[in-house]
Amino acid sequence: MGSPDPQYRRQLNGMGGGVSSLSKICVVGPPSSPDRVSEVDVDYAFVQVGIDDGLLDLSGNCGNLSSMIGVFALDEGLCRPRISDDGDGLATVRSYNTNTSKIIDTTFPLSTSDEEPATVLDTPQVEMAGVPGNASRILLQFVNPAGARTGKLLPTGNAIPASLVDATNTTVFISSQDLAHILGLDGHTLTTTHYTSPDVEATLECIRQTGAKRMGLDPSVKAQPKIAVLSERAANVEDADIVIHAFSMGVLHKAVPMTVGLCLGVASGVEGTLAHAIVFRAHSRREDGDGSMIRIRHPGGVVEVGADFAEDGTVLNAQVVRTGRRLMKGAVWW
């Protein structure tokens, strides 16, 4: 990946791109346990590569890369697809993430005109915020996502002003109003300038580490938990229910890590969390709000996520629609 690169943080001697979202690896293969052969199609491990220290962090998972595991596995001949019986041209690949011991389903269009089924990624179905053009719809579903690291949806046992939630990835959620108060900026709307200042980054890292301790995690691990700041949407903005500024490896993310977005989708359905309070107010003002899906505004645009709950409050799945494409295939010399 071009790490370590402590001087310039650009990873010019590797495949990385100098930001945490471009310094990631997924290792995909057949099910590694005989007990999982009948349940899943492939296993995969996610690795976050430190830019300036070269450390390999396997403590969490990545939603964006998870959305392409099924496509990659099928293209590489690692498994056969689970083809829908209703003839809708869709296939599902079920994967097992070894980092979190969770199952993830990806469903995408499939061409069966040739001898071997092939993935179809260029159907103009979905447009992603920050990504030019339309592409095929990939439905990403995290099955039973709660407790991916700590074993509990709310690791501290309750929802507090800093909501600590473990679903797809552990995340510390705080409100922008509380952060502004800590910074002595009461009444101010926090902007990108605030979020990218060293003082704010240091404050958020301190809160993140405190949250990690409360969740029983190692506070020195930068990748877990994540931290995100939640805000109400502006009064004149109708395209979203909640606004998020998420941080990855200590810096403001240009969009939102998808596992954080999915975690927010789950949290919005749990009474007592900051997310639920904000989304509940937004849905009460929204005629088409059914409560099952929420629209998140992030620095790069808007994404829609959802979660299904059982009657006893158990999280059945968390889901999001993505797109994807293969960029390259070849040999990387190390």
Side-chain angles (χ1 to χ4, degrees):
M1 298 297 288
S3 298
D5 184 5
Q7 185 173 359
Y8 299 110
R9 293 180 57 84
R10 296 175 65 189
Q11 296 178 306
L12 292 181
N13 287 320
M15 296 289 291
V19 293
S20 63
S21 58
L22 301 178
S23 191
K24 301 177 176 181
I25 298 171
C26 281
V27 183
V28 190
S32 56
S33 169
D35 297 335
R36 291 199 295 273
V37 170
S38 61
E39 187 177 12
V40 302
D41 303 310
V42 290
D43 283 4
Y44 75 100
F46 167 71
V47 186
Q48 178 74 60
V49 182
I51 294 172
D52 52 8
D53 54 19
L55 293 178
L56 306 182
D57 191 326
L58 287 88
S59 63
N61 191 14
C62 172
N64 284 321
L65 293 187
S66 293
S67 65
M68 284 295 286
I69 296 299
V71 170
F72 173 79
L74 186 58
D75 285 349
E76 292 298 309
L78 295 174
C79 67
R80 301 286 297 180
R82 303 171 186 236
I83 300 177
S84 174
D85 294 331
D86 56 14
D88 57 8
L90 298 178
T92 297
V93 172
R94 171 159 282 197
S95 60
Y96 178 84
N97 175 243
T98 59
N99 307 71
T100 59
S101 301
K102 293 293 183 179
I103 291 175
I104 297 100
D105 289 341
T106 52
T107 302
F108 45 86
L110 189 72
S111 170
T112 56
S113 58
D114 300 324
E115 285 189 20
E116 290 294 326
T119 57
V120 180
L121 299 181
D122 57 358
T123 304
Q125 296 175 321
V126 176
E127 182 178 4
M128 297 275 301
V131 180
N134 294 339
S136 299
R137 180 180 188 268
I138 300 175
L139 179 63
L140 177 66
Q141 290 184 302
F142 284 69
V143 180
N144 186 24
R149 284 295 311 284
T150 65
K152 298 179 181 179
L153 176 61
L154 300 175
T156 59
N158 56 13
I160 56 176
S163 297
L164 313 180
V165 186
D166 182 359
T168 68
N169 254 349
T170 49
T171 308
V172 177
F173 293 110
I174 65 172
S175 76
S176 60
Q177 288 181 325
D178 290 339
L179 179 60
H181 178 71
I182 293 171
L183 299 173
L185 298 171
D186 290 295
H188 286 71
T189 299
L190 299 182
T191 65
T192 300
T193 301
H194 292 116
Y195 287 123
T196 54
S197 74
D199 290 343
V200 173
E201 290 177 349
T203 299
L204 289 172
E205 177 60 17
C206 181
I207 297 172
R208 190 198 69 82
Q209 291 190 18
T210 302
K213 293 176 183 177
R214 291 292 302 273
M215 298 169 107
L217 303 176
D218 184 353
S220 67
V221 175
K222 294 181 179 180
Q224 292 285 315
K226 305 291 188 187
I227 187 167
V229 184
L230 305 180
S231 312
E232 304 257 359
R233 71 184 189 196
N236 60 344
V237 175
E238 297 292 334
D239 66 348
D241 303 306
I242 192 169
V243 180
I244 187 170
H245 288 83
F247 288 73
S248 179
M249 305 298 284
V251 297
L252 179 66
H253 199 284
K254 293 183 178 180
V256 58
M258 196 37 57
T259 48
V260 175
L262 287 162
C263 188
L264 177 56
V266 172
S268 68
V270 180
E271 288 192 36
T273 64
L274 294 169
H276 181 273
I278 295 174
V279 170
F280 180 82
R281 288 191 290 270
H283 275 189
S284 67
R285 300 189 294 267
R286 188 178 140 197
E287 294 182 359
D288 62 338
D290 61 4
S292 62
M293 300 292 286
I294 69 166
R295 299 172 300 189
I296 304 170
R297 170 157 288 285
H298 55 74
V302 176
V303 63
E304 193 168 3
V305 300
D308 292 327
F309 293 81
E311 291 185 1
D312 63 357
T314 301
V315 189
L316 299 177
N317 65 65
Q319 55 191 323
V320 65
V321 173
R322 312 301 288 159
T323 62
R325 64 189 178 96
R326 292 176 69 111
L327 294 175
M328 65 182 71
K329 181 178 180 180
V332 178
W333 298 101
W334 175 52

